[in-house]
Amino acid sequence: MEVKIMEYVTLNNGIKMPLEGFGVFQVPDPAQCKQAVLDAINSGYRLIDTAAAYMNEEAVGAAIKESGVDRSELFITTKLWVQDADYESAKKAIETSLEKLGLDYLDLYLIHQPMGDYVGAYRAMEEAYKEGKLRAIGVCNFYPARLADLCETVDVIPAVNQVELHPFFQQEDALALMKEYGVRPEAWGPFAEGNHGIFTHPVLSSIGEKYGKSAAQVALRWNVQRGVVVIPKSVHKDRMEQNMNIWDFELSEEDMNEIAKLDIGHSEIVNHDDPNFVKMLHGLKVHE
């Protein structure tokens, strides 16, 4: 099976980022995570997305080392956890992540949640960015008002905002604001975490039949055609290869319009406005 060449996007600071990557959320087992990342790299993935809170940075680092792929070809992302969201803690957290991953620099470093003193943390990230330890910096889960406030406050506009984006939660208004500020959207949960029967959804499946593609491949293709970076997760090599095989077809405007009708306008996975959710995240510790 010939896999077409991955496409890249250029971030607002001029660096290139793959439009599709591999995420390791919910793969805490070190051996399984390492193998999954090795399989992903061998399947052609070059963007690997982890986080301090995933508790698997060492496993990702071990896979990077063992892969034999030149560091300059890889695009490694990790994230700052809520516990470290202040200036001094963020400085330490960046060093800790570099150490765990066994790397001299990160391609992208993101604030995981808009909680705590994230502006102070972002200042530490700006410094590390100017020192060359971080090639690009950004945020996750920053909803439009938060993103606008941050962009109006900081010196370095975030390169990326990683948020929930899939056919059932399309966030067109959020994408419009990101475009206004030059922030690249990146999708977590591009398969809606399996909700809405996405893998067998009649609309996505019937569109896929026209191109000899699965509903999952259509969901990914739809997002990348919107300029959204996707990071599907799988621990199965055949599924990784299928997820990567989205570069040899293009959805028509009619297809895109059909998928647009699936939007329910809100998340069913997480409510960032729920105080109990905020308390829970503050209670999650990634270190002593």
Side-chain angles (χ1 to χ4, degrees):
M1 177 184 74
E2 187 202 348
V3 176
K4 300 291 176 182
I5 298 301
M6 157 74 60
E7 290 174 24
Y8 283 72
V9 290
T10 302
L11 300 180
N12 59 18
N13 66 350
I15 77 165
K16 288 193 162 20
M17 178 180 188
L19 248 176
E20 184 175 11
F22 182 72
V24 295
F25 177 49
Q26 292 172 332
V27 195
D29 178 74
Q32 187 184 39
C33 181
K34 181 184 169 187
Q35 190 56 53
V37 174
L38 274 172
D39 287 344
I41 291 172
N42 290 334
S43 302
Y45 291 86
R46 291 297 175 259
L47 161 57
I48 308 294
D49 178 277
T50 182
Y54 300 168
M55 309 302 263
N56 56 17
E57 287 173 315
E58 290 103 329
V60 171
I64 291 167
K65 194 173 177 185
E66 199 174 301
S67 73
V69 172
D70 194 85
R71 172 69 186 94
S72 64
E73 284 184 38
L74 298 171
F75 192 100
I76 310 299
T77 305
T78 192
K79 310 183 192 82
L80 177 85
W81 187 237
V82 178
Q83 180 183 7
D84 295 317
D86 63 70
Y87 176 76
E88 288 299 339
S89 300
K91 277 169 72 163
K92 282 187 205 145
I94 292 165
E95 296 302 331
T96 301
S97 284
L98 284 167
E99 202 176 307
K100 286 187 173 181
L101 286 157
L103 301 175
D104 300 328
Y105 67 90
L106 290 160
D107 297 280
L108 180 62
Y109 192 72
L110 304 173
I111 291 178
H112 207 147
Q113 296 284 350
M115 295 172 194
D117 177 15
Y118 59 81
V119 174
Y122 198 84
R123 298 273 185 233
M125 289 161 58
E126 287 178 323
E127 285 178 15
Y129 169 69
K130 284 165 186 167
E131 288 164 11
K133 287 177 186 173
L134 311 174
R135 292 182 69 223
I137 55 177
V139 294
C140 305
N141 302 305
F142 272 59
Y143 284 81
R146 291 261 167 122
L147 183 67
D149 181 48
L150 188 77
C151 289
E152 295 295 339
T153 303
V154 297
D155 293 332
V156 179
I157 296 291
V160 168
N161 185 15
Q162 186 184 119
V163 295
E164 180 187 346
L165 291 166
H166 50 73
F168 310 103
F169 189 35
Q170 303 187 7
Q171 299 220 58
E172 288 292 347
D173 291 350
L175 294 189
L177 184 81
M178 290 185 219
K179 192 171 186 182
E180 186 185 318
Y181 281 108
V183 179
R184 175 65 56 174
E186 182 176 21
W188 66 256
F191 295 139
E193 297 199 344
N195 293 331
H196 295 274
I198 189 168
F199 298 114
T200 53
H201 193 281
V203 171
L204 300 175
S205 298
S206 69
I207 290 172
E209 276 168 22
K210 294 195 288 189
Y211 304 98
K213 297 292 178 184
S214 68
Q217 288 167 326
V218 169
L220 292 176
R221 181 71 210 180
W222 165 82
N223 244 333
V224 300
Q225 278 185 220
R226 300 197 304 160
V228 175
V229 176
V230 290
I231 43 169
K233 181 207 101 181
S234 177
V235 292
H236 305 289
K237 194 159 191 275
D238 58 338
R239 187 69 56 73
M240 291 177 198
E241 288 170 354
Q242 287 166 28
N243 289 344
M244 181 61 94
N245 195 13
I246 60 168
W247 305 104
D248 57 350
F249 77 111
E250 192 167 333
L251 298 172
S252 68
E253 197 175 335
E254 184 190 2
D255 298 329
M256 296 294 282
N257 292 338
E258 277 304 300
I259 296 169
K261 295 174 190 167
L262 302 178
D263 191 15
I264 62 169
H266 62 88
S267 173
E268 294 180 315
I269 296 170
V270 63
N271 176 9
H272 283 90
D273 293 326
D274 176 4
N276 289 321
F277 176 70
V278 175
K279 289 177 193 171
M280 186 219 16
L281 294 191
H282 273 279
L284 285 176
K285 305 299 181 193
V286 300
H287 59 76
E288 289 300 317

